[in-house]
Amino acid sequence: MNKTKPPISLTPAAHQRTLDGGLVAIQDLVRSCMQCGTCTASCPNAFAMDLAPRQVWRLLLYGLTQEVLQSRTFWLCSACYTCTLRCPRGLPLTAAMAALKRLAAAEGDAVNRKKALFYQEFMRNVEQNGRIQEMGFMCSYFLAMHNPMLPLEYTPLGLKLLGKGKLHLGGGAQRGRLGPLFAKVRSMEERP
Amino acid sequence: MKKEYGALVVGAGIGGIRAALDLAETGLKVALIDARPSLGGILAQLDHQFPTDHCGMCKMLPLTQRDQSSQYCLRKGIFHKNIDILLHTELSGLEGDPGKFTATLRRRSTFVDPTRCVSCGLCAEVCPARAPSEFNAGLSQRTAVYLPVPHNIPNHYVVDLDNCQRCWRCFEACPTKAIDFKFEQRKDFNIIVVTPDQQLSQDLPLWFTNENFPLHPAATGEEALGLLAGGLDCGLMLLDLDLPQAEAERTLRRALELRPNLAIVLLVSKNKDRDKVGDKDGGKDEAVAALIKQGAREALPKPLKQAQAVPWLDKLFMRLVSDETLSIEVGAVILAAGFECFNPADNPAGSADLLLYGGHPGVLTSLEFERLASPTGPSQGLLTRPGDGRPLRRIAWLQCVGSRDVKLKADFCSSFCCMISIKQALLAKRRTGGQAEATIFYMDMRTNGRDYQRYRDDAENQAGVRFIPARPHTILPGPDGGVLVQYFDYAGELREETFDALVLAVGARPPKSMERLALAAGIEVNESGFCATRYLAPNRTSRLGVFAAGAFGEPADIRGSLIQAGAAAMGASRMIRVYHGPRDETPEAEPKYADVSRQAPRVLVALCTSCPTLERNVNSALLRQRMEVLPGVVTVVDVPRACTREGWDILRHEAEASAPNRVLIGACLPYVHVPRLRELGEVLELNPALMDVVDIHTASFAGRDTSFAGHAACLASCSTKPGGGPGACDCGETARTNEMGSLLAMAAAKLLGADPSSLPQATPVSPQALVVGGGLAGMTAAMGIADQGFKVVLVEEAEHLGGLALNLRTTLEGNDPVRFMEDLVEQVEKNPNIRVLKDSRVVLSRGKAGRFVTVVATGEGVAHTLHHGATILATGGREAKVYEYGNRVHKCVLTQLELEQRLAAGTVDASSLSGVAMIQCWRSRGESRNYCSRVCCQGALKNILMLKKRNPGLPVYVFYRDIMTTGFSERFYTEARRSGAIFIRYTPDDRPRVEFEDDKPVITALDPVLGGQIEIRPDLLVLSSGVEPNDASEIADLFGVGLTEDGFFQEAESKWRPVDFLKHGVFACGLGLGPATMRESLLQAKAAAQRAVRILSEKQLSCGNVVAEIRQTLCSRCGRCIPVCPYGARSLDLDKDRIVVDELLCQGCGSCMAACPNSATVLRGFHDEQVMAVIDAALAGQPRAEARPQTAG
């Protein structure tokens, strides 16, 4: 964003919209943010983000949901918890990022839903195998993305990983072991 | 009999000293105690204070009646005849009611007798122990026997028992036997060991054979009690908890009944399972806690080991027999225990690792930096990095370390760090000749004092200090031992810089002993751990008769601390008057001194002879000879130990016999003798100004460090002689004798030339005060004076009392200012000591401190002539008028004050609004009014919280520059953020733009976080217009006081004399002095009232002995001396056509003498001839270096 762009209009309507959506809960997490930028400065992935974390909080508080959901910032959060640890206001920033991921997966546009696929496939793989099995996960992710070109894009990376022995074909020793855990979480989430 | 004092002041830091002086100057006796072994608190470590970048602490000393106190550097020490100082002393209990408290003080022994210690330093030379030096903030090491502050007077060594290794070398080294470890008393210190453990009862006596303690093992409690009942004088009981619990408990109770002062220490075995496995430690801990509650001193883990038990018990013995408990009666108590600096390393959540503190020598706290920059610090003021000693050239400051951090339980602003960092940045620049680059990383730069913003602007624009609004959080070791800092700048770019040092601007924490002190004094603490005070009674604690001074109630800078201390002193003084009735008003009889001006000088020289170092190092016969031949000397007497009563009696006897008219005493520790000189003066009928004490002691051992003049030359010549070498001759002794002789000869010459004529007449005091301005500050000040029994005339221009504060409807803290003001007006109007003149103005004023004559004209045209001793100007201020941004054109544009009133009246309905925007600092801190108005941020927060309370969903946008919520008001800033208000920072170059469409504001501004423009269309635009002073130029002219460029009153010194004017006897408070909140105005008013009472409580004011005089025949009226006088004591009297000196204002600094081209101005006690004679005496007595080997050999 730069000065040549037209000003972002903060109409009462924009603010109102934030009051009813699921966004209020996320706003509540970051309300006492004082824009010190500690989160941004300490984020290891900030270099790759299009919006800095503190910009995300600011847009959220403005009620500019769309701008936030269009960014890839929260998808890039690797949940290292550095920002949460360092925030002088003690805000649960990693939780806010996670909440944004959930919101985007549930209510976001097609792009966001597609981005969520990675997480969904990852978790499904973990649930099935009791741990991550890279090969299986890779296949199911590519299938879910419905993009035949995607595997080609990842080929160089895949070969590299294979060379280093990082791609396991996987055994079934831990299969289903985490099933009860997932079930429990599901039942807790269903409870009001 | 218990000693009685007017007030007890706890804490001898700057706040405590101010409060003690304020009370002592009104004639109250004050006990000033401090837990540290030294005076001055944290300020002893700080050399430079903004805005002058000097110290200036001495400006707090009394200006009149100067001879009642010492008149030299206040950082070194304070002597006032009404102040008793007890160091290393804590308050351990406070019983009784206001007016008659009984305070229990625990004085921890320093093991050094201050009447014997001569600070020679031999003890520290032999001490093998090392501990981090508190004075140098841990940057250097000290010994276990040490000087707490190197520059104090008196300065005595103290023993830090915790770090002592019990080698007793200092005891052996001390030449004056000042160190006392109570060796003699060990054999009488009976210890009973009650233990069923046979091994232990056999071991213990063996272990302690060397220590000489008589040990009495007892297998059961009965046996021990039997010993006690049998009359054994027992000092300590070790009680093993392996005894059955009931028996242990009974033994403890019964032992304490028999010997209430018996120290009982519990031995608790940690390894053995005494009880069931389940609750072995829980049950035991409870039992221990219960026994400690019943009077046991402490608990010690078993099994004991000889290596630990012996030193521990020995130290405990020394504490038990050396520590004292005192009990005094006081009328009121002032707590000024100050604060501690936050230490990131102390706290596990203190981010020491993130900030690299402790792990990198380049990361310092601001206190450590202060010591580095100090000439008395570890690097002698050269800014070098501890560790590798590299010069510091690129330095960064990081603000808000330990402040404004809810995770560290610090939801407050420490108030002083911003200004300290600017000061340190400028200091670094100056120390390095401008080479150092200084960068300050900040969140909000809180320059919230009247002149602070200009100080910051000068630092930024002239000195080139960089200010970066960012909070770096990635700090890594950088190249060349530097510190790498990563931060996001204002434009959102990630930046990396390497600095030589990173200074953490650490915030305030309550003193470590707070819990104990609060319990002892019976006061409440607030959620941040500071002393709880109320917003509208900020000098009071939760206990009646106990007041909070300095930074004890809320973090504050020096100015704030002193104002708070003055207000606390006023509260205490009032309390003492209310509960004690009028003070004994009979003044001390003025001593009568004979007129010796027509007598030839007859000098008596007394030399103290019997100090061991003196005998060893000085040839006293030679010294005596030299003294006898000095002009005017009639007798030289040797006095054995002048410091003792007996010695002094001999001196007095000799003096009575020879009837001298000048007395010169050569002894150690001159300050000890000052009160005695007064006594001697009464006996001899001789003015103490004609007596002098010379410190011959320091010189007597100064030669040891070979610093005396000529020593090097002597050593060189000695070593060239055959058989010679260093120390081969006794030239050291001769040199010292010579040096001492010169010192005495100089003092004698000075005494010979002293002017024996009597001092100018003292000014009688009119016991009435005039207060100009009937607002919050004026009324509070009037009440403060009237409550202490003096008449007050309160002059108000308007037809009703109240002023600006009447417009307020709420306060941030939730008080009711309307009710408060109504009550205050009623109290003032009903007070029999206050005469209120409304609709009146001052038209004329003449006179000086103690004696003003002022004419006040009322609206009806009646003129009143008032005689008053002190004046308080509280002419107040007003809300600044703003016409920009559509104010007063569009209905939707309000000021913060208007919004507050409409919200209170209900004419603004928060629920019907769809958006509110606020613009802070509108015009304040701009070119026309470049100061922070202090009240607008608080006003905005107040309105935000009110709006959000009524309509939680209402969007509120605040455009701000720096939010100035210092102290505990930070909490409301956090709350406002939490309630959902959005704060958007702007810079003065890029202000928000406001247009109007359909009578509604449209605001466009840059959002620095997003880096883009935003547009807001709120229903209401609220402007923080700021405050400005009422036009006080006329009043300032009438009373001869100054105004700042903004039209506020110019106080004498913004830090040290914050409510005084340069013109003595005139004081200021409230908005007229500078922007202030209600709380600050109240404090200022109370402090000013106390300053006025200080003058009113004197019957007459007399000047000091050293004042300037003018030889009118030589004076050419050139007027050069008038502007150079720092006290404004000189003026040109046009009627008489001569320069006049106000003796009360003149402090004898001598600037006028230096400026006068004709030598027409002279200083009593420093005449030219006298000074020349002193110099002659100094040079005459100094044999030339090359002549020395002959005299020695």
Side-chain angles (χ1 to χ4, degrees):
Chain A
M1 271 180 265
N2 54 45
K3 282 189 185 185
T4 53
K5 275 196 174 181
I8 306 166
S9 182
L10 302 174
T11 55
H15 191 88
Q16 210 54 44
R17 208 177 55 208
T18 67
L19 288 175
D20 28 54
L23 217 59
V24 181
I26 309 179
Q27 277 186 329
D28 282 344
L29 295 179
V30 297
R31 253 195 230 294
S32 61
C33 165
M34 56 180 173
Q35 308 293 342
C36 67
T38 300
C39 46
T40 310
S42 46
C43 182
N45 293 351
F47 70 94
M49 293 173 174
D50 51 350
L51 287 177
R54 81 163 154 182
Q55 293 177 322
V56 171
W57 316 135
R58 176 46 69 88
L59 289 168
L60 274 177
L61 291 177
Y62 279 149
L64 301 170
T65 329
Q66 284 320 307
E67 283 81 349
V68 175
L69 291 184
Q70 277 160 18
S71 87
R72 60 179 183 196
T73 296
F74 55 94
W75 288 119
L76 287 175
C77 170
S78 55
C80 69
Y81 281 88
T82 310
C83 52
T84 307
L85 187 73
R86 295 183 178 185
C87 175
R89 290 292 190 189
L91 302 177
L93 299 176
T94 313
M97 286 291 190
L100 279 174
K101 287 175 195 168
R102 285 197 297 274
L103 186 79
E107 293 178 18
D109 53 10
V111 181
N112 268 317
R113 279 202 295 277
K114 216 158 193 178
K115 281 179 181 161
L117 283 176
F118 180 88
Y119 283 82
Q120 284 160 4
E121 291 304 326
F122 183 91
M123 291 316 279
R124 189 156 49 214
N125 190 281
V126 171
E127 187 181 358
Q128 269 176 10
N129 299 316
R131 54 155 291 170
I132 183 74
Q133 281 191 342
E134 290 85 354
M135 205 54 120
F137 165 56
M138 211 166 71
C139 298
S140 57
Y141 175 59
F142 290 147
L143 276 177
M145 289 297 281
H146 302 298
N147 183 354
M149 300 304 285
L150 199 62
L152 290 177
E153 271 179 44
Y154 276 96
T155 310
L157 181 69
L159 289 173
K160 222 171 174 179
L161 287 173
L162 207 58
K164 300 218 172 202
K166 294 284 179 195
L167 282 185
H168 299 279
L169 294 169
Q174 306 290 327
R175 176 170 291 268
R177 211 168 155 184
L178 294 180
L181 182 75
F182 278 81
K184 176 80 182 166
V185 170
R186 261 187 219 111
S187 77
M188 280 168 77
E189 278 175 347
E190 274 160 24
R191 228 178 287 157
Chain B
M1 204 194 116
K2 274 179 199 159
K3 245 188 144 174
E4 274 187 49
Y5 289 95
L8 168 70
V9 179
V10 180
I14 195 68
I17 290 178
R18 169 81 271 169
L21 274 173
D22 266 349
L23 291 169
E25 286 180 44
T26 65
L28 289 168
K29 292 272 179 213
V30 181
L32 178 61
I33 69 168
D34 199 300
R36 292 184 225 217
S38 59
L39 276 175
I42 195 167
L43 239 71
Q45 293 167 272
L46 314 182
D47 288 1
H48 304 266
Q49 277 91 39
F50 71 88
T52 55
D53 294 336
H54 299 301
C55 167
M57 206 194 264
C58 51
K59 289 179 180 147
M60 294 202 317
L61 285 166
L63 293 170
T64 55
Q65 313 296 96
R66 284 192 271 146
D67 297 333
Q68 290 187 354
S69 68
S70 56
Q71 283 290 318
Y72 59 84
C73 178
L74 194 56
R75 289 165 71 79
K76 294 185 171 170
I78 169 177
F79 301 93
H80 192 283
K81 68 170 185 153
N82 288 336
I83 302 179
D84 284 350
I85 300 172
L86 298 167
L87 295 174
H88 231 222
T89 303
E90 285 181 49
L91 178 70
S92 62
L94 187 68
E95 311 275 313
D97 298 310
K100 207 169 175 61
F101 285 115
T102 304
T104 315
L105 309 179
R106 206 165 67 86
R107 185 171 198 174
R108 297 172 66 237
S109 177
T110 61
F111 304 99
V112 179
D113 181 353
T115 61
R116 284 165 177 261
C117 175
V118 292
S119 316
C120 63
L122 289 170
C123 48
E125 271 176 30
V126 296
C127 181
R130 291 291 178 271
S133 154
E134 290 87 358
F135 180 68
N136 274 336
L139 289 178
S140 64
Q141 300 258 301
R142 62 162 172 84
T143 45
V145 52
Y146 69 108
L147 284 177
V149 175
H151 53 246
N152 267 5
I153 296 177
N155 211 1
H156 303 302
Y157 277 79
V158 299
V159 175
D160 167 15
L161 201 59
D162 295 336
N163 286 305
C164 174
Q165 299 176 356
R166 297 164 58 251
C167 65
W168 316 134
R169 282 187 216 161
C170 53
F171 172 78
E172 285 149 17
C174 182
T176 59
K177 300 285 162 239
I179 302 181
D180 184 5
F181 289 120
K182 309 282 177 193
F183 294 115
E184 287 307 305
Q185 290 168 42
R186 279 176 163 72
K187 64 180 187 323
D188 303 324
F189 189 75
N190 292 294
I191 302 172
I192 299 181
V193 187
V194 195
T195 176
D197 185 345
Q198 289 297 324
Q199 187 62 37
L200 189 63
S201 45
Q202 279 172 17
D203 281 351
L204 276 177
L206 291 177
W207 291 355
F208 286 101
T209 40
N210 278 345
E211 320 297 326
N212 272 334
F213 291 121
L215 256 89
H216 306 271
T220 63
E222 277 310 310
E223 199 183 329
L225 291 174
L227 281 169
L228 282 180
L232 181 70
D233 183 16
C234 174
L236 174 69
M237 179 188 272
L238 300 177
L239 185 60
D240 196 333
L241 286 195
D242 284 350
L243 289 171
Q245 193 171 338
E247 188 183 342
E249 227 179 289
R250 199 183 62 240
T251 314
L252 179 97
R253 238 189 350 257
R254 184 78 188 113
L256 285 176
E257 276 170 30
L258 288 167
R259 300 269 193 288
N261 291 328
L262 181 67
I264 300 180
V265 174
L266 309 172
L267 302 179
V268 188
S269 48
K270 285 283 169 200
N271 301 350
K272 232 166 47 177
D273 287 351
R274 201 163 47 102
D275 305 298
K276 293 193 303 278
V277 181
D279 63 344
K280 53 172 182 177
D281 273 346
K284 210 188 294 174
D285 285 350
E286 265 168 40
V288 169
L291 289 175
I292 284 182
K293 217 171 188 177
Q294 286 181 36
R297 193 182 159 97
E298 58 189 296
L300 200 66
K302 262 197 10 171
L304 298 178
K305 287 199 185 69
Q306 184 176 4
Q308 278 105 48
V310 173
W312 168 82
L313 200 137
D314 203 18
K315 286 177 179 178
L316 180 65
F317 154 76
M318 287 191 272
R319 278 260 158 261
L320 285 174
V321 297
S322 305
D323 287 1
E324 297 168 85
T325 304
L326 313 167
S327 187
I328 58 170
E329 272 187 16
V330 294
V333 179
I334 292 178
L335 301 179
F339 62 90
E340 306 256 341
C341 282
F342 174 74
N343 183 352
D346 267 0
N347 188 331
S351 329
D353 50 343
L354 286 182
L355 299 169
L356 233 57
Y357 179 70
H360 192 293
V363 181
L364 304 160
T365 65
S366 46
L367 193 62
E368 288 166 353
F369 182 82
E370 199 83 38
R371 292 312 305 153
L372 271 190
S374 166
T376 57
S379 61
Q380 284 80 44
L382 297 171
L383 289 174
T384 52
R385 188 157 56 210
D388 60 4
R390 285 172 67 109
L392 303 180
R393 288 296 172 267
R394 285 174 57 80
I395 311 172
W397 278 261
L398 178 53
Q399 298 305 113
C400 298
V401 175
S403 310
R404 305 184 64 191
D405 194 332
V406 288
K407 281 167 106 176
L408 296 174
K409 293 195 177 57
D411 198 6
F412 58 85
C413 160
S414 299
S415 308
F416 50 74
C417 342
C418 283
M419 295 310 288
I420 286 184
S421 292
I422 302 178
K423 173 200 77 180
Q424 290 182 345
L426 290 175
L427 188 62
K429 289 249 177 209
R430 216 175 45 221
R431 274 290 149 77
T432 55
Q435 280 180 28
E437 288 173 40
T439 309
I440 299 179
F441 293 102
Y442 69 98
M443 301 211 290
D444 292 284
M445 212 64 208
R446 292 195 166 157
T447 51
N448 56 351
R450 191 191 62 203
D451 300 329
Y452 296 2
Q453 181 62 32
R454 289 206 169 88
Y455 187 71
R456 180 210 151 145
D457 288 349
D458 287 349
E460 187 163 11
N461 302 329
Q462 287 172 24
V465 177
R466 274 199 307 163
F467 288 83
I468 299 180
R471 200 182 158 90
H473 232 291
T474 303
I475 294 156
L476 302 165
D480 297 331
V483 186
L484 182 76
V485 174
Q486 285 180 356
Y487 64 95
F488 269 77
D489 69 2
Y490 198 61
E493 296 290 323
L494 180 68
R495 296 196 184 274
E496 252 186 31
E497 282 190 61
T498 308
F499 297 97
D500 295 333
L502 179 69
V503 182
L504 308 176
V506 289
R509 281 291 180 280
K512 286 210 176 71
S513 59
M514 188 69 190
E515 210 174 313
R516 244 184 10 246
L517 182 58
L519 205 65
I523 53 156
E524 286 167 19
V525 295
N526 64 19
E527 65 265 35
S528 303
F530 285 87
C531 172
T533 58
R534 279 183 296 155
Y535 185 75
L536 293 176
N539 57 345
R540 283 174 50 176
T541 65
S542 58
R543 182 167 181 184
L544 195 64
V546 182
F547 299 88
F552 191 59
E554 182 165 13
D557 60 4
I558 294 174
R559 177 189 162 88
S561 295
L562 291 195
I563 291 175
Q564 171 94 32
M570 182 253 139
S573 175
R574 176 178 167 275
M575 193 62 74
I576 294 162
R577 293 220 172 215
V578 167
Y579 284 89
H580 254 249
R583 233 172 287 156
D584 183 14
E585 295 291 352
T586 45
E588 282 177 45
E590 279 292 312
K592 287 263 175 285
Y593 299 129
D595 181 11
V596 295
S597 54
R598 291 180 177 276
Q599 297 174 4
R602 294 164 52 78
V603 185
L604 169 88
V605 181
L607 295 174
C608 179
T609 53
S610 56
C611 266
T613 51
L614 210 58
E615 278 172 3
R616 203 163 52 219
N617 294 330
V618 176
N619 183 342
S620 37
L622 196 68
L623 194 62
R624 212 188 135 98
Q625 262 173 25
R626 249 187 93 178
M627 288 303 103
E628 276 166 350
V629 298
L630 286 177
V633 172
V634 284
T635 10
V636 180
V637 290
D638 286 340
V639 181
R641 294 194 65 87
C643 46
T644 60
R645 182 44 63 182
E646 299 76 49
W648 194 259
D649 283 343
I650 294 170
L651 171 61
R652 203 174 66 180
H653 195 72
E654 291 281 348
E656 276 174 306
S658 59
N661 54 23
R662 309 279 196 282
V663 176
L664 174 62
I665 301 166
C668 55
L669 319 175
Y671 49 87
V672 172
H673 299 287
V674 172
R676 291 194 185 141
L677 289 184
R678 183 184 289 267
E679 205 179 295
L680 189 66
E682 277 170 37
V683 175
L684 297 177
E685 293 193 349
L686 185 65
N687 191 338
L690 297 174
M691 306 179 190
D692 202 358
V693 183
V694 175
D695 175 13
I696 56 171
H697 196 86
T698 312
S700 76
F701 58 82
R704 219 167 22 79
D705 63 1
T706 68
S707 64
F708 69 93
H711 185 83
C714 170
L715 277 187
S717 61
C718 287
S719 54
T720 53
K721 275 196 275 185
C729 64
D730 63 348
C731 62
E733 184 189 278
T734 317
R736 280 190 284 270
T737 312
N738 272 328
E739 190 178 338
M740 220 170 278
S742 304
L743 286 173
L744 285 164
M746 284 160 71
K750 189 161 174 242
L751 275 181
L752 278 183
D755 182 358
S757 58
S758 53
L759 287 171
Q761 195 84 39
T763 317
V765 175
S766 317
Q768 177 170 259
L770 170 71
V771 178
V772 183
L776 172 71
M779 286 194 290
T780 309
M783 287 296 292
I785 300 170
D787 280 352
Q788 301 199 41
F790 299 100
K791 297 280 177 198
V792 182
V793 180
L794 180 62
V795 178
E796 167 60 44
E797 222 170 39
E799 282 169 8
H800 57 270
L801 295 173
L804 186 65
L806 282 184
N807 298 328
L808 297 175
R809 295 293 175 268
T810 50
T811 67
L812 254 184
E813 283 73 9
N815 305 94
D816 183 352
V818 181
R819 173 91 185 281
F820 179 82
M821 290 305 290
E822 278 169 3
D823 286 352
L824 185 60
V825 170
E826 196 184 326
Q827 281 172 24
V828 166
E829 293 195 327
K830 286 191 176 162
N831 195 311
N833 279 339
I834 302 179
R835 184 171 160 210
V836 181
L837 297 174
K838 293 178 207 168
D839 190 14
S840 307
R841 323 173 56 104
V842 176
V843 290
L844 189 70
S845 184
R846 285 274 180 279
K848 57 183 182 181
R851 209 161 180 78
F852 290 99
V853 182
T854 300
V855 180
V856 176
T858 63
E860 295 107 47
V862 189
H864 299 275
T865 307
L866 308 169
H867 293 268
H868 55 104
T871 311
I872 292 180
L873 303 181
T875 52
R878 56 173 180 258
E879 191 188 14
K881 299 270 188 294
V882 170
Y883 297 99
E884 293 92 337
Y885 275 170
N887 193 19
R888 284 164 217 283
V889 177
H890 296 276
K891 274 188 188 160
C892 53
V893 184
L894 302 174
T895 64
Q896 292 286 5
L897 196 58
E898 283 167 348
L899 178 61
E900 178 181 338
Q901 287 170 346
R902 290 188 195 188
L903 281 171
T907 47
V908 165
D909 179 10
S911 56
S912 68
L913 295 173
S914 64
V916 175
M918 297 181 176
I919 304 181
Q920 297 300 106
C921 293
W922 176 243
R923 284 288 295 277
S924 282
R925 300 173 69 201
E927 311 68 44
S928 57
R929 285 189 279 121
N930 196 5
Y931 55 84
C932 166
S933 287
R934 206 72 190 87
V935 294
C936 340
C937 284
Q938 272 85 347
L941 294 180
K942 195 156 74 178
N943 287 334
I944 292 167
L945 291 173
M946 184 60 85
L947 286 168
K948 283 284 190 183
K949 195 171 135 198
R950 295 187 183 169
N951 181 2
L954 178 71
V956 178
Y957 304 98
V958 186
F959 295 92
Y960 75 103
R961 287 173 54 189
D962 295 281
I963 294 285
M964 302 276 188
T965 47
T966 50
F968 295 125
S969 55
E970 172 73 14
R971 187 157 55 92
F972 299 100
Y973 181 33
T974 312
E975 214 168 287
R977 290 258 189 190
R978 199 172 284 146
S979 74
I982 293 175
F983 290 77
I984 304 154
R985 191 194 285 272
Y986 73 87
T987 59
D989 326 323
D990 192 5
R991 293 166 179 276
R993 293 162 299 284
V994 180
E995 281 152 29
F996 288 89
E997 280 175 27
D998 308 332
D999 213 22
K1000 288 258 178 183
V1002 180
I1003 306 167
T1004 36
L1006 172 79
D1007 182 322
V1009 175
L1010 300 181
Q1013 299 286 318
I1014 52 166
E1015 182 187 283
I1016 297 169
R1017 295 165 181 270
D1019 290 340
L1020 277 183
L1021 171 62
V1022 191
L1023 302 178
S1024 280
S1025 50
V1027 293
E1028 53 189 24
N1030 286 330
D1031 182 13
S1033 51
E1034 205 175 310
I1035 285 282
D1037 274 353
L1038 282 173
F1039 286 97
V1041 298
L1043 292 178
T1044 67
E1045 58 186 299
D1046 298 309
F1048 291 107
F1049 288 123
Q1050 177 66 57
E1051 67 278 61
E1053 227 282 332
S1054 70
K1055 276 205 132 57
W1056 305 105
R1057 294 172 65 195
V1059 295
D1060 298 29
F1061 280 111
L1062 212 44
K1063 176 154 176 179
H1064 197 42
V1066 190
F1067 308 97
C1069 56
L1071 278 185
L1073 184 58
T1077 60
M1078 264 182 107
R1079 179 182 183 274
E1080 289 160 341
S1081 287
L1082 282 168
L1083 286 171
Q1084 286 170 7
K1086 289 178 179 181
Q1090 188 60 23
R1091 301 294 292 152
V1093 166
R1094 181 255 168 286
I1095 290 179
L1096 299 178
S1097 57
E1098 294 288 350
K1099 285 271 179 280
Q1100 52 183 19
L1101 298 176
S1102 55
C1103 61
N1105 276 313
V1106 180
V1107 287
E1109 290 170 340
I1110 294 163
R1111 293 176 182 147
Q1112 295 296 347
T1113 47
L1114 292 178
C1115 176
S1116 63
R1117 284 48 141 191
C1118 69
R1120 282 191 206 175
C1121 54
I1122 298 173
V1124 297
C1125 178
Y1127 298 94
R1130 303 172 79 90
S1131 56
L1132 179 63
D1133 185 337
L1134 288 173
D1135 297 340
K1136 292 185 184 147
D1137 186 29
R1138 54 168 57 172
I1139 304 278
V1140 287
V1141 181
D1142 184 336
E1143 291 92 6
L1144 285 179
L1145 287 185
C1146 174
Q1147 303 294 308
C1149 70
S1151 303
C1152 47
M1153 262 177 99
C1156 182
N1158 287 359
S1159 297
T1161 179
V1162 289
L1163 210 53
R1164 271 181 72 99
F1166 288 96
H1167 290 282
D1168 284 353
E1169 311 83 62
Q1170 198 184 355
V1171 175
M1172 288 302 173
V1174 171
I1175 296 173
D1176 282 346
L1179 299 177
Q1182 194 77 42
R1184 287 182 303 277
E1186 60 268 21
R1188 205 168 273 159
Q1190 282 83 41
T1191 44

